[in-house]
Amino acid sequence: MSDRHERDEVLCMFFFFNDTATTEIYTLSLHDALPISSLTLISLLLDAGASVAAYDPEGLDNLSREFGDRVDCVRDAYTVLEGADALIIATEWNEFRSPDFDRMHSLMKSPLIFDGRNVYAVDAMRRHGFEYHSIGRPPVKP
């Protein structure tokens, strides 16, 4: 994938919901999973002016070394969602497969999920009131 295509893909996600003065984008992982690496994704989001918080059961130390205090490294999958404008899923760790969707929805400012790994079932996203964008499947609108 070209650098330009990577940048355009990320900026499309960013501007999709960037209607507030401070946009916060939260990602659950740092491991490569989307068509671009998570570190590239985070770099592009930061360059676009996003505020990023991240949780990964294994990779927070790497992220901290890479970005320092430019990224808020959170050590809990639910804490990272507090006040989130969106969630970007870039991994398929088992702990992410069966979350408390009602809790997730209540923590997020906007129940918007970009799922780069098709971790969640479309029907579950519809039932729990999320706007949900995944790979190769139709989007879900609440």
Side-chain angles (χ1 to χ4, degrees):
M1 182 178 296
S2 73
D3 288 344
R4 180 187 164 120
H5 187 264
E6 290 175 357
R7 187 194 72 236
D8 291 348
E9 184 176 303
V10 170
L11 292 178
C12 282
M13 281 191 295
F14 179 70
F15 290 113
F16 180 83
F17 57 88
N18 185 19
D19 60 356
T20 60
T22 305
T23 297
E24 296 182 18
I25 300 171
Y26 295 76
T27 181
L28 283 177
S29 183
L30 316 175
H31 291 274
D32 294 350
L34 296 170
I36 61 175
S37 79
S38 296
L39 294 177
T40 300
L41 171 69
I42 291 169
S43 287
L44 290 167
L45 291 168
L46 290 169
D47 290 346
S51 173
V52 178
Y55 168 70
D56 184 311
E58 301 289 331
L60 288 179
D61 291 336
N62 291 336
L63 180 66
S64 187
R65 277 192 299 277
E66 182 76 23
F67 295 105
D69 62 0
R70 293 177 55 207
V71 172
D72 183 15
C73 295
V74 179
R75 303 226 176 251
D76 174 85
Y78 291 103
T79 302
V80 77
L81 297 173
E82 293 175 359
D85 288 310
L87 166 65
I88 299 172
I89 301 172
T91 190
E92 48 190 309
W93 286 104
N94 282 337
E95 76 176 88
F96 302 146
R97 292 197 170 275
S98 300
D100 180 339
F101 290 118
D102 292 329
R103 183 175 178 195
M104 288 174 62
H105 194 285
S106 71
L107 290 170
M108 296 176 73
K109 186 188 322 179
S110 303
L112 173 61
I113 298 175
F114 294 97
D115 185 351
R117 297 299 283 197
N118 290 348
V119 172
Y120 301 139
V122 172
D123 289 340
M125 296 292 90
R126 188 174 292 111
R127 270 194 322 275
H128 292 281
F130 287 94
E131 180 169 345
Y132 180 71
H133 301 269
S134 56
I135 307 298
R137 303 184 291 183
V140 171
K141 304 278 185 166

